[in-house]
Amino acid sequence: MPSSSSLVSPPVHPSRSAAAVPGSAIRDLLRLTETPAVLSMAGGLPATELIPAQRIADATAAAVGDRDLLQYTASAGLRRTRESIARHEAVAPEQVLVTHGSQQALSLLAAALVDPGDVVVVDDPVYVGAMQVFASVGADIRGLPLTEKGIDVSLLARWCADGLRPTIVHTVTAFHNPGGVSADAARRRDLAELADRHGFWVIDDDPYGRLRFRGDVPAPTRSFGDRVITLGSASKILAPALRVGWLIAPPQVVALVERLRQSADLCGSALCQAVVGDLLDDTDWLSAHIAAVAGAYSRRAHALVAALDDVFGEAIETSVPDGGMFCWARLPGVDTTALLDAAVGHGVAYVPGQAFSVRRDLSDRLRLSFATLTEDQLRTAAGRLHAATAAG
């Protein structure tokens, strides 16, 4: 048997769909910042110390004693977990399909609904995972410039009036990644009504909506129309390692995605789904847990925005988050991609805005996550970022 050192890797010729998928600058950046010396605001990770490890351990211990939960389950997900999610989201269980994280839901929907060349409209700046998914199915991706109040429904309506016929419009209506902004009820209603009028599907990607720490909770986009698909996730409110997400859609869409899912991984983990169902059904505990997480994020967001204002003054423009995990900032006249090496050298990391661009010039923007650092660390990180900018 040849040793590993004598093996020669054969050439790999990627398929057109694989070659079309852009790399993730965020994943590449995370590898560069995995050192204690760097205060990283780059990752979109929830705070590890706020993950309810003991409650998850208790639910796992209860579930693992049930042999049925160590068996395959239905492709649509464990029935009792679908029912738990349905109660959590105030929908019927037939509208729910449980997936291996919400990213799988997005990937399956793209494969189920989009043919090569179909127009898909996304926010610009875009959630990078959506860009990768729609590129993989050969979509004609159009970037809709994000506004300070979320998706620009007025511009989308003009595009449709001029003859554009998207198959899907993908948006993050609550605490946008990376933009940090949210769409209010009126904008959600207008989007759903536009979808009904022109026959496209809205994918409302909503992993952060429960993490609101200021303002009123708007009605979900799906409440305003019949062509809205909602994506949800346990990753941001419970734990990423559980890998449980879901989609909420009309039953005919659920059935289509369920059939397609059988060619991907057959089904998810009944064990993990049972754990998530247990936690979602423990409503008093869950409400207190989410309130604690949102409270911590509120303090961290305030600390970051205040620190940036203190050290940069008028040299920086920042979004003021109402929830979620991200602050979107602008440093006019600064190329944040070029600045990144100096910033890492000063012990701080972020994601340059251009990593989220579809067509727009976002070279002076940067995404900052406040979720994983303490308030004191965020103040230090803001100072380091300013020092890197001044040195450049």
Side-chain angles (χ1 to χ4, degrees), residues 59-73:
T60 303
V64 80
D66 183 347
R67 284 189 175 87
D68 288 341
L69 298 177
L70 304 178
Q71 185 57 273
Y72 291 110
T73 191

Side-chain angles (χ1 to χ4, degrees), residues 13-335:
H13 302 288
S15 67
R16 283 193 292 271
S17 60
V21 178
S24 171
I26 301 170
R27 296 298 176 193
D28 295 340
L29 178 60
L30 289 176
R31 286 194 289 270
L32 296 175
T33 58
E34 290 178 341
T35 168
V38 176
L39 293 176
S40 179
M41 297 183 286
L45 286 67
T48 303
E49 73 275 12
L50 298 178
I51 291 174
Q54 187 57 57
R55 183 64 182 83
I56 291 171
D58 293 342
T60 303
V64 80
D66 183 347
R67 284 189 175 87
D68 288 341
L69 298 177
L70 304 178
Q71 185 57 273
Y72 291 110
T73 191
S75 297
L78 191 67
R79 177 69 191 186
R80 72 194 209 199
T81 300
R82 293 177 72 192
E83 292 171 349
S84 298
I85 293 169
R87 287 188 289 271
H88 181 68
E89 297 280 5
V91 297
E94 291 70 27
Q95 295 174 266
V96 177
L97 185 139
V98 188
T99 55
H100 190 75
S102 61
Q103 184 70 19
Q104 186 190 47
L106 183 57
S107 179
L108 291 171
L109 283 166
L113 300 175
V114 180
D115 285 321
D118 283 356
V119 173
V120 171
V121 175
V122 299
D123 298 318
D124 193 2
V126 65
Y127 162 56
V128 173
M131 191 74 169
Q132 292 177 312
V133 160
F134 295 125
S136 74
V137 295
D140 177 2
I141 301 171
R142 310 288 181 92
L144 184 67
L146 191 69
T147 78
E148 293 181 357
K149 295 184 179 180
I151 185 171
D152 193 339
V153 183
S154 296
L155 179 55
L156 179 61
R158 292 200 295 274
W159 286 1
C160 290
D162 290 340
L164 186 71
R165 292 296 176 264
T167 298
I168 285 174
V169 173
H170 174 276
T171 187
V172 182
T173 56
F175 319 126
H176 191 275
N177 176 12
V181 296
S182 297
D184 61 18
R187 195 164 292 217
R188 294 172 188 229
R189 182 197 63 231
D190 291 347
L191 177 60
E193 291 178 353
L194 193 66
D196 286 341
R197 191 177 315 133
H198 292 286
F200 59 80
W201 291 101
V202 173
I203 298 180
D204 185 359
D205 210 339
D206 188 28
Y208 312 105
R210 302 279 173 173
L211 298 176
R212 175 175 291 276
F213 44 75
R214 183 171 54 196
D216 297 328
V217 179
T221 312
R222 64 177 177 271
S223 67
F224 298 109
D226 297 326
R227 301 187 65 86
V228 178
I229 301 168
T230 305
L231 305 188
S233 175
S235 293
K236 304 304 188 293
I237 60 172
L238 295 174
L242 292 170
R243 305 311 303 135
V244 173
W246 53 86
L247 66 85
I248 300 168
Q252 65 270 28
V253 174
V254 170
L256 176 62
V257 174
E258 179 182 7
R259 177 158 53 88
L260 188 64
R261 198 256 178 88
Q262 292 166 2
S263 70
D265 65 352
L266 296 179
C267 66
S269 164
L271 182 67
C272 289
Q273 292 178 20
V275 169
V276 169
D278 180 349
L279 300 182
L280 294 182
D281 282 339
D282 192 351
T283 53
D284 289 343
W285 171 85
L286 183 66
S287 295
H289 166 68
I290 291 176
V293 173
Y297 288 176
S298 175
R299 294 187 292 274
R300 294 175 188 190
H302 177 77
L304 175 61
V305 172
L308 292 171
D309 286 345
D310 286 344
V311 297
F312 281 96
E314 296 182 356
I316 196 169
E317 301 169 11
T318 59
S319 66
V320 180
D322 293 327
M325 298 165 52
F326 303 110
C327 175
W328 184 237
R330 179 172 180 243
L331 288 169
V334 176
D335 184 332

